[in-house]
Amino acid sequence: MDMQEEVEGLAILIRDLRKHKNLTLGELATRIDRSVGFLSQVERGLSRPTVADLTAISETLGVPTTYFYSLSKPRAVPWVTRPDERRTLYYAGGITDVLVSPSIAAGFSMLESFLQPGASSGEGHLNDSDEQGGFVLEGELTIWYGDAAEPVTLGPNDSFQLPPHAQFRYANLTDSPTRVLWVFN
């Protein structure tokens, strides 16, 4: 699938799940602290949510964030994924996540995140119900965790692990791309 097909696939998943949960656009928008207009554009594939937006949507709708990767491509071997078989989410803010796990139904999921220079997960802190960690493959990843005033910057071969419902946000504050392998439980 190309980028527009991936964006439209995400839009359908969000809209269908919202309707399944019997929430109006206005109710969901209020719960995630975004405008109805923005959420409407996301559900029509005209705008992309930030990582923080999609995390808030998933928490509000009662599904893990990995739910939005459920439109898997056919795989030749069920327990292996090849690059052309992977689902990709393109976020606002310069972040692209690729589901590298063969299954989202297993005990953990893996994502490869690409952060463009200046990319950010969003202004607000994430509050994901999943335990998660990451391994910086290249570039730098800056993380603001909890109430700490100072962020921590990680470089290649650095890793981190955060408990469920950790309040954090992240960004690439450099002029070079960053790649991170994320693991969610």
Side-chain angles (χ1 to χ4, degrees):
M1 285 196 244
D2 67 15
M3 182 180 355
Q4 188 55 38
E5 289 172 322
E6 297 280 4
V7 169
E8 289 169 3
L10 175 62
I12 291 166
L13 284 172
I14 293 171
R15 183 183 64 239
D16 289 352
L17 182 59
R18 175 186 58 78
K19 288 182 177 183
H20 176 74
K21 299 285 184 168
N22 293 317
L23 288 175
T24 66
L25 268 173
E27 290 168 332
L28 181 56
T30 298
R31 291 183 188 183
I32 66 168
D33 198 28
R34 295 291 264 158
S35 72
V36 172
F38 169 76
L39 190 56
S40 174
Q41 287 184 340
V42 167
E43 287 192 359
R44 291 182 288 138
L46 302 175
S47 290
R48 295 179 290 182
T50 64
V51 175
D53 293 330
L54 193 61
T55 301
I57 290 168
S58 69
E59 290 294 317
T60 301
L61 297 177
V63 297
T65 307
T66 53
Y67 169 86
F68 297 107
Y69 294 90
S70 66
L71 290 178
S72 300
K73 298 172 185 168
R75 293 186 311 271
V77 180
W79 49 274
V80 173
T81 58
R82 309 260 186 225
D84 63 337
E85 300 169 337
R86 296 181 179 147
R87 176 112 169 93
T88 303
L89 288 181
Y90 299 92
Y91 293 102
I95 297 175
T96 300
D97 282 346
V98 179
L99 180 67
V100 296
S101 294
S103 171
I104 60 172
F108 66 91
S109 299
M110 297 179 293
L111 301 173
E112 184 177 11
S113 289
F114 298 89
L115 289 82
Q116 297 172 6
S120 166
S121 62
E123 291 299 315
H125 281 78
L126 304 172
N127 181 8
D128 198 324
S129 59
D130 289 329
E131 178 179 6
Q132 56 191 284
F135 182 79
V136 179
L137 299 166
E138 69 180 63
E140 289 185 359
L141 182 71
T142 301
I143 300 175
W144 292 262
Y145 178 53
D147 294 329
E150 294 297 316
V152 174
T153 298
L154 303 146
N157 298 314
D158 287 342
S159 62
F160 63 93
Q161 187 171 356
L162 302 170
H165 296 290
Q167 299 284 316
F168 74 101
R169 66 186 180 92
Y170 61 92
N172 173 6
L173 301 178
T174 71
D175 292 330
S176 301
T178 296
R179 282 181 43 228
V180 179
L181 178 65
W182 291 86
V183 178
F184 294 84
N185 183 8

